[in-house]
Amino acid sequence: MTRDTNTLGEYLRARRELVTPDSVGLPQLGVRRVPGLRREEVAMLAGISADYYLRLEQGRDRNPSVQVLESLARVLQLDDDGTAYLLSLASERPRRARRRPRKEAVPSGIRKLLDSLTLPAFLEGRYFDVLAANALAAALSPRLVTGHNRLRDVFLDPAEYSLYPDWEDATAGLVAGFRQSVGTDTDDPRFIELVGELSLASDRFRRLWARHDVHVREGTSITLDHPQVGALTLNREKLAVSGSAGLLLVVYHADAGTENAEKLSLLSSYQAVPHTPAPTDRASATPD
């Protein structure tokens, strides 16, 4: 994660180790000392020399052609998101000196929109920080409030990851989306701090990060095991905020007329009920 990091080579090596020989039609002869494909096998299948592929992995050549990269993407069985990410790694702009942390500002219109929405919603930054949220988001999870980080909570907070019955899939998707969101901007201090902390604290994060999976941050259906209403399946939309690179408005909604819609409405009613502190018995509160 320094300026000299060989991101392209790391990605090629990580994805090579995930492709089995039989999946590309190669016989498995003898004992293989490496997981996945050997470098020379990737080179052969991509139609390039083994020496040239070695230079790519070692970072001695960081400017391969689009044709070479597309051939490698085919051999490494990358989907559209992975291919786009691979192409972006080979077109990095010259790196500048390490920058100060980028301050992500919440547009005033988005703040007003969050307050007016009758659905749980929050604003997500490019490093998965919760930049702003409405009260209904906190009804889904007390961690969906300003100042929290989605990665840190889902990996390190037992109360948060207990919400996800499919925690393995949820964390895999979260890390893949995080890598896509960051892209090649790995010299940002915020990125370095967050990845370093999670790598030390979570074996699961460390293993997922080493896979170099990439997935565009987009809407999906999620199921939560909510402590108040039980199993709750919602649609989660992620909407880009115009004029604010990397910021997404995240909105949860249920299919109309379903039990999930009723449960979401029930959560909203819980949130709307004002909390009245229990009366204090002044006599019993008198110090001894």
Side-chain angles (χ1 to χ4, degrees):
M1 286 176 284
T2 67
R3 289 187 296 171
D4 296 325
T5 295
N6 176 21
T7 312
L8 174 61
E10 290 175 357
Y11 186 59
L12 290 173
R13 181 168 57 255
R15 302 313 299 180
R16 168 172 65 84
E17 292 176 351
L18 296 175
V19 180
T20 60
D22 59 336
S23 70
V24 292
L26 293 177
Q28 297 198 47
L29 302 176
V31 177
R32 301 181 67 88
R33 286 183 277 181
V34 295
L37 297 178
R38 301 184 178 100
R39 292 191 184 95
E40 57 269 23
E41 291 170 335
V42 174
M44 176 190 69
L45 292 168
I48 60 178
S49 72
D51 179 67
Y52 180 55
Y53 180 76
L54 177 62
R55 294 204 306 272
L56 290 176
E57 274 205 8
Q58 293 179 340
R60 292 186 286 128
D61 188 322
R62 304 193 184 197
N63 296 288
S65 68
V66 172
Q67 291 80 7
V68 166
L69 291 172
E70 289 178 341
S71 293
L72 289 172
R74 173 182 51 79
V75 174
L76 299 176
Q77 302 177 352
L78 302 182
D79 59 14
D80 290 344
D81 293 342
T83 299
Y85 181 72
L86 176 61
L87 292 171
S88 75
L89 294 180
S91 59
E92 293 185 63
R93 295 183 296 273
R95 293 185 182 271
R96 301 182 295 273
R98 180 175 293 181
R99 300 163 301 165
R100 294 179 180 178
R102 178 186 302 178
K103 179 69 174 177
E104 294 182 307
V106 180
S108 59
I110 294 297
R111 218 178 268 283
K112 295 173 184 177
L113 176 61
L114 284 171
D115 291 338
S116 67
L117 284 174
T118 58
L119 294 168
F122 69 94
L123 184 65
E124 179 180 271
R126 68 190 306 249
Y127 297 128
F128 290 18
D129 294 310
V130 179
L131 303 177
N134 63 15
L136 293 177
L140 277 186
S141 166
R143 272 72 57 187
L144 286 179
V145 292
T146 304
H148 275 247
N149 178 271
R150 299 296 300 134
L151 283 163
R152 185 181 289 116
D153 286 342
V154 171
F155 279 97
L156 304 183
D157 190 323
E160 182 66 17
Y161 60 68
S162 67
L163 287 175
Y164 296 89
D166 296 323
W167 185 77
E168 298 282 329
D169 289 342
T171 51
L174 198 63
V175 172
F178 178 60
R179 188 176 284 280
Q180 187 277 335
S181 176
V182 172
T184 61
D185 197 12
T186 57
D187 61 344
D188 189 294
R190 174 63 177 148
F191 165 82
I192 295 171
E193 173 194 22
L194 186 57
V195 171
E197 176 190 0
L198 290 168
S199 296
L200 290 173
S202 170
D203 290 339
R204 172 69 176 165
F205 177 85
R206 190 163 55 250
R207 291 194 301 270
L208 288 173
W209 190 247
R211 286 177 55 90
H212 287 248
D213 290 331
V214 179
H215 189 66
V216 172
R217 297 155 73 193
E218 59 187 6
T220 188
S221 173
I222 67 164
T223 297
L224 302 176
D225 185 8
H226 197 277
Q228 289 179 289
V229 298
L232 178 63
T233 299
L234 299 173
N235 304 299
R236 184 180 61 199
E237 311 299 342
K238 294 197 171 187
L239 311 173
V241 177
S242 61
S244 301
L247 301 191
L248 294 181
L249 179 64
V250 184
V251 183
Y252 297 86
H253 64 101
D255 291 341
T258 64
E259 182 182 4
N260 293 304
E262 294 175 1
K263 290 180 178 180
L264 186 57
S265 177
L266 187 60
L267 277 179
S268 300
S269 67
Y270 288 159
Q271 188 65 35
V273 175
H275 175 69
T276 304
T280 300
D281 185 340
R282 295 185 178 274
S284 64
T286 303
D288 292 336

